[in-house]
Amino acid sequence: MECPNCGSEMVKGNLIGDRYAIKWQPADKKLVAGIFANGGFALKDNSSLFGRPKTEAYVCENCELLTVDLKTQRKK
Ligand SMILES: [Zn+2]
């Protein structure tokens, strides 16, 4: 994948969660009871049955930019 900022080739990798799927939440929303994400969405978990949650992501080492393609990595 090409970096949208500088055009360099990005390094393919994964965001690894601990136990549950990684979630994205808008900055103007708050966690419910300090733990439950509200008003955002979960990222797709590509792990095997007993593996840790894993979402494909790309890093541009030139811009230090991390990107996730939500067309394929957003949990449906
Ligand atoms: Zn870049």
Side-chain angles (χ1 to χ4, degrees):
M1 180 182 279
E2 208 172 82
C3 174
N5 274 354
C6 73
S8 296
E9 191 58 31
M10 299 182 87
V11 180
K12 184 179 179 178
N14 293 288
L15 296 173
I16 308 289
D18 272 340
R19 189 168 173 192
Y20 301 105
I22 298 167
K23 297 175 184 77
W24 179 86
Q25 185 182 42
D28 64 346
K29 300 284 182 188
K30 289 198 162 95
L31 293 176
V32 176
I35 45 175
F36 299 107
N38 176 34
F41 56 82
L43 297 175
K44 190 173 168 187
D45 178 4
N46 300 307
S47 65
S48 57
L49 188 58
F50 296 108
R52 290 166 63 178
K54 196 164 84 172
T55 300
E56 190 179 284
Y58 288 80
V59 164
C60 176
E61 292 179 332
N62 188 37
C63 301
E64 298 186 328
L65 177 73
L66 171 72
T67 64
V68 175
D69 184 352
L70 296 178
K71 288 190 299 294
T72 61
Q73 299 305 307
R74 185 175 180 159
K75 192 173 182 179
K76 304 283 183 217

